[in-house]
Every structure is written in C-alpha cells, then in structure tokens.
Amino acid sequence: MAGVWRWTADYAGDTNNNPVSSGCQEEQVTVVEPLVVLKTANPTYDQKWNWTIDKSADQTDLNLADGELFTVNYDVAVNASSVVQNAMVTGTITITNPVGNPTANITGVSDVLSVGGAATVVCPGSFPQTLAAGASLVCTYSKNVGSAN
C-alpha cells in the first residue's frame, strides 16, 4: 500500500535570530503489512496406568453348614497412578505475505516450545527464500517433550 508522507520543518534562527532554513518535503512511502504467522499444535502421548486393588474383611475364615448364611463386612480400596510417556507435539507453521506487500525475504524458520525447548522445523526448499505478496510458506515441526508424572 503506497502513501504520501509530508513533513514541514522550521528551524530556529542563528545567533542573530535570523531563520536558518524552513521548508516542506514530500516523499512517497510504502506501508508494509507484517507477515502473518499461524501455528497449529497436535499433542500426542501414551499414558501408562498402574492399578492396585486391596480387599479386607472382618472375617478371615468361616466354617458354615450347608445352607447357613453369615454376613461378612468388607472394604475394597482401588488406587491408580499413571505415567505419561512419549509426549510429542507436531504441527505446521504457515507464514503468509499479505497481498499488496513487496516480496519478503525469509532467511529461516525456527520454533521454541515453552516445554522442551527448540523444535525440529522442516520447510520445503532451502533458505533464503522469497515470498511473493499473497503467497504462503508452510513448514512442519515436531518436538519430543519426554515423559511426565
């Protein structure tokens, strides 16, 4: 998007208060929109569960006659714990140069996750790359973020 920028300058006088210079300048400028960056995130992980089941009763041994009934009180305690393994995040990073912009020069694409650090980013072609107005560069990324409890 092109525009016109006008500025006027009036300068203070010299030591005798005589104006040194003043003037008006007109320049043609191009307003450049920022590149648009969109990122997707697809997390995956394996979750391993460990279960314990404990049963206790108020009777441990009973000898009953045929047909005899007896009430036994019991409790069952179930506990579970899990461990997250093979946590991974993958996705795309799409960089778009808005319509009306001049060609953009892309020197590289990188990504750092708040957990795990730098991701592996793969883009088509090699760098530097030029991105015409209205064009997009789509890169993929992946990062193994390990395990957690």
Side-chain angles (χ1 to χ4, degrees):
M1 167 191 305
V4 176
W5 177 48
R6 292 186 180 95
W7 58 274
T8 303
D10 289 316
Y11 300 99
D14 59 17
T15 54
N16 294 325
N17 248 359
N18 296 317
V20 175
S21 65
S22 66
C24 180
Q25 181 72 31
E26 189 173 289
E27 297 286 337
Q28 185 77 24
V29 296
T30 301
V31 177
V32 177
E33 297 295 324
L35 297 177
V36 177
V37 179
L38 299 174
K39 180 180 173 185
T40 64
N42 304 303
T44 59
Y45 61 91
D46 297 327
Q47 190 163 12
K48 180 180 176 184
W49 286 91
N50 294 309
W51 295 87
T52 59
I53 302 174
D54 293 315
K55 182 179 176 182
S56 61
D58 62 355
Q59 303 294 319
T60 56
D61 292 311
L62 291 175
N63 289 320
L64 301 176
D66 206 13
E68 183 180 1
L69 298 176
F70 187 87
T71 300
V72 176
N73 297 305
Y74 64 91
D75 291 312
V76 176
V78 178
N79 292 302
S81 63
S82 67
V83 175
V84 173
Q85 300 173 319
N86 305 318
M88 181 89 157
V89 64
T90 61
T92 59
I93 301 170
T94 304
I95 303 165
T96 302
N97 189 8
V99 173
N101 270 3
T103 298
N105 293 313
I106 310 294
T107 59
V109 178
S110 63
D111 188 25
V112 177
L113 281 66
S114 61
V115 292
T120 301
V121 178
V122 177
C123 299
S126 59
F127 291 100
Q129 293 190 29
T130 57
L131 194 56
S136 294
L137 172 65
V138 180
C139 304
T140 59
Y141 74 93
S142 61
K143 178 64 180 164
N144 183 333
V145 294
S147 299
N149 289 335

